[in-house]
Amino acid sequence: MKKIPDKNGRFGIYGGKFAPETLMAPIEQLQNAYFTIGKSSEFKKELNYYLKFYAGRPTPLYFAKDFSQYIGCHVYLKREDLAFTGSHKINNTLGQVLLAKKMGKTRIIAEKGAGEHGVATAAAAALFKLECEIYMGEVDVQRQSLNVYRMKLLGAKVNCVKSGSKTLKDAINEALRDWISSFKTTHYVIGSVVGFHPFPVMVRDFQSVIGRETKKQILKAEKRLPDYLVACVGGGSNSLGLFHPFYNYKNVKFIGVEAAGKGLDTDYHSATLCKGSPGILHGSFSYILQDNDGQIHPTHSISAGLDYPGTGPEHSFYKDSGRAEYHAMTDQQVLNAFHLLSELEGIIPALESAHAVSYLIENKKRFNPDDIIVVCLSGRGDKDVGEVARIEGVSL
Ligand SMILES: *Cc1c(COP(=O)(O)O)cnc(C)c1O
């Protein structure tokens, strides 16, 4: 079998390195470091130590008994919500920040929209004693004062970006500008399987701990591999983390679930793989949401972590080759899943993760009683409780 990606970071026709000349030096340096230091057994041993004793891995693979009965087959939840800082993001930030330290970097930068990436980066930087600055749009700073304070508690400096729409994409632009002038001392931690090579493969590898653990755990519990793996897709890192270690097991079907927002026939969704077309965004060729002139289309989702107009190139490759199928669930269907899982299992899922749960609820008839399904519960819902109360008109 051909290796994906190839040495140029191509997943079939997707991926690559569409970066300005000024970024080629840091990108090559990172690529060399990742494929030497990052692949060494000492590095892996040290990272595994922190994944275990700092982040709390392995996370449980939990048999959701009542939810299984409701769906009519065997449903297991991979509990990334129980990883430290509340989502799978920590798997990647520990890996990248440790690598940066080994490269002799003294400073970390990252951008933060609204997911958990900023806090997970600040935590890893505090742990490994690197300076940390997080770029965040002014609109997001105002919307998330508690998260801003959390990052500051962890010793990070939060830079409020006042340009453009003052949200995630402007924060990314500022972080890239910083990196161009600071890469000798600084590593830029990207939070998903997006961006130029080597980020998509590196982040996938760091997140693959999810799938490797799942394989062992399901073999122990059921004595066979699952029939379906289901995960939400924003940039695509928790899904690839679960899927990738099963890539060669063709009987294990992959289902990625995007955000249909207010509906796929409206302008208010983030369903890049379901509704987008190939183009270039943030240094990589992949499906993106764009208009006829190639301008990036605004996105919407009830869950901030899925609200992104691009997706990882490996997903685009899986889509075209048929290795995975992609669906999208609406905000309303997701809210329903959020409540149902909370009531049936006593587990409040992140709104992102509730997209994956919702696919099962709306497609119950597809599954047979003997089917085994693993759902990636990418994060905990505590961060979303206030927002759900607001949407549903509950006064707190
Ligand atoms: C960031 C985030 C996501 C979406 O990112 P992926 O890279 O697609 O995994 C999903 N769930 C949670 C809880 C997140 O914080």
Side-chain angles (χ1 to χ4, degrees), residues 7 13 15 18 31 35 37 55 65 101 108 117 138 148 157 159 162 164 183 199 209 235 269 278 289 323 355 385:
K7 64 181 183 351
I13 61 169
F18 296 89
Q31 194 178 325
F35 288 105
I37 302 168
K65 183 164 120 316
K101 191 180 167 88
I108 291 298
H117 178 55
E138 189 177 31
V148 171
K157 182 171 169 227
N159 296 322
K162 295 192 166 78
F183 66 81
F199 282 102
V209 66
H269 64 76
L289 287 172
R323 181 63 187 91
H355 282 72
V385 169

Side-chain angles (χ1 to χ4, degrees), residues 51-52 55-62 77-84 87-88 90-91 209-211 213-214 217 376-378:
L51 286 170
K52 180 172 178 184
R57 304 204 71 90
T59 58
L61 183 70
Y62 181 67
L77 304 174
K78 181 57 174 163
R79 299 289 309 273
E80 293 303 294
D81 59 319
L82 296 178
F84 179 54
S87 81
H88 67 291
I90 194 79
N91 304 328
V209 66
I210 302 173
E213 287 176 7
T214 298
Q217 290 167 320
C376 189
L377 210 74
S378 56

Side-chain angles (χ1 to χ4, degrees), residues 54 83-97 108 110-112 115-128 132 134 147 150-151 154 156 189 191 207:
Y54 180 75
F84 179 54
T85 66
S87 81
H88 67 291
K89 294 288 195 316
I90 194 79
N91 304 328
N92 171 49
T93 61
L94 284 177
Q96 284 197 47
V97 177
I108 291 298
E111 85 291 334
K112 178 176 169 14
E116 304 293 88
H117 178 55
V119 175
T121 303
L127 173 69
F128 295 125
C132 181
I134 309 285
N147 257 339
R150 206 171 268 145
M151 290 186 281
L154 291 163
V189 181
Q207 291 294 1

Side-chain angles (χ1 to χ4, degrees), residues 87-89 116 192 232-238 305-306 350 352 378-379:
S87 81
H88 67 291
K89 294 288 195 316
E116 304 293 88
S192 191
C232 66
V233 180
S237 68
N238 84 88
L306 302 186
E352 290 85 355
S378 56

Side-chain angles (χ1 to χ4, degrees), residues 77-365:
L77 304 174
K78 181 57 174 163
R79 299 289 309 273
E80 293 303 294
D81 59 319
L82 296 178
F84 179 54
T85 66
S87 81
H88 67 291
K89 294 288 195 316
I90 194 79
N91 304 328
N92 171 49
T93 61
L94 284 177
Q96 284 197 47
V97 177
L98 183 62
L99 180 66
K101 191 180 167 88
K102 302 285 176 198
M103 291 169 73
K105 307 290 178 192
T106 54
R107 179 171 172 268
I108 291 298
I109 55 173
E111 85 291 334
K112 178 176 169 14
E116 304 293 88
H117 178 55
V119 175
T121 303
L127 173 69
F128 295 125
K129 298 285 162 300
L130 276 76
E131 222 184 299
C132 181
E133 288 188 39
I134 309 285
Y135 286 92
M136 198 169 170
E138 189 177 31
V139 172
D140 292 325
V141 169
Q142 283 160 0
R143 280 196 288 219
Q144 303 173 65
S145 51
L146 193 63
N147 257 339
V148 171
Y149 183 56
R150 206 171 268 145
M151 290 186 281
K152 287 181 178 165
L153 275 175
L154 291 163
K157 182 171 169 227
V158 178
N159 296 322
C160 182
V161 176
K162 295 192 166 78
S163 57
S165 59
K166 306 183 174 75
T167 58
L168 178 63
K169 84 174 166 37
D170 310 288
I172 293 177
N173 290 340
E174 284 300 319
L176 282 172
R177 205 164 295 155
D178 181 321
W179 203 34
I180 287 171
S181 61
S182 67
F183 66 81
K184 290 212 167 64
T185 60
T186 301
H187 174 67
Y188 177 20
V189 181
I190 289 185
S192 191
V193 287
V194 298
F196 23 73
H197 182 60
F199 282 102
V201 61
M202 179 171 70
V203 177
R204 176 200 79 195
D205 290 350
F206 287 143
Q207 291 294 1
S208 290
V209 66
I210 302 173
R212 287 196 305 270
E213 287 176 7
T214 298
K215 201 191 288 175
K216 274 192 209 147
Q217 290 167 320
I218 199 71
L219 285 174
K220 188 152 185 230
E222 294 275 359
K223 312 279 179 294
R224 71 174 180 90
L225 294 180
D227 300 290
Y228 297 93
L229 303 176
V230 184
C232 66
V233 180
S237 68
N238 84 88
S239 47
L240 281 181
L242 177 65
F243 296 171
H244 186 76
F246 294 89
Y247 184 80
N248 290 330
Y249 302 92
K250 300 292 178 203
N251 291 332
V252 181
K253 297 176 202 69
F254 300 166
I255 300 177
V257 186
E258 298 189 303
K262 296 182 201 288
L264 288 185
D265 47 357
T266 71
D267 276 341
Y268 301 93
H269 64 76
S270 312
T272 312
L273 288 153
C274 292
K275 295 286 281 187
S277 53
I280 291 173
L281 177 67
H282 296 142
S284 166
F285 185 62
S286 192
Y287 276 77
I288 59 177
L289 287 172
Q290 55 189 336
D291 64 20
N292 292 337
D293 299 326
Q295 293 297 313
I296 296 303
H297 206 283
T299 52
H300 162 83
S301 167
I302 191 173
S303 63
L306 302 186
D307 201 343
Y308 180 67
T311 193
E314 187 164 351
H315 279 296
S316 297
F317 175 71
Y318 285 9
K319 177 184 161 85
D320 285 7
S321 64
R323 181 63 187 91
E325 52 182 277
Y326 297 91
H327 303 278
M329 308 309 293
T330 66
D331 291 352
Q332 198 51 54
Q333 291 169 324
V334 168
L335 279 173
N336 180 33
F338 181 84
H339 284 287
L340 192 85
L341 197 72
S342 300
E343 285 165 26
L344 282 181
E345 294 294 340
I347 296 170
I348 304 176
L351 283 172
E352 290 85 355
S353 324
H355 282 72
V357 175
S358 151
Y359 178 80
L360 268 59
I361 296 172
E362 304 294 333
N363 295 277
K364 271 191 206 180
K365 289 204 196 82

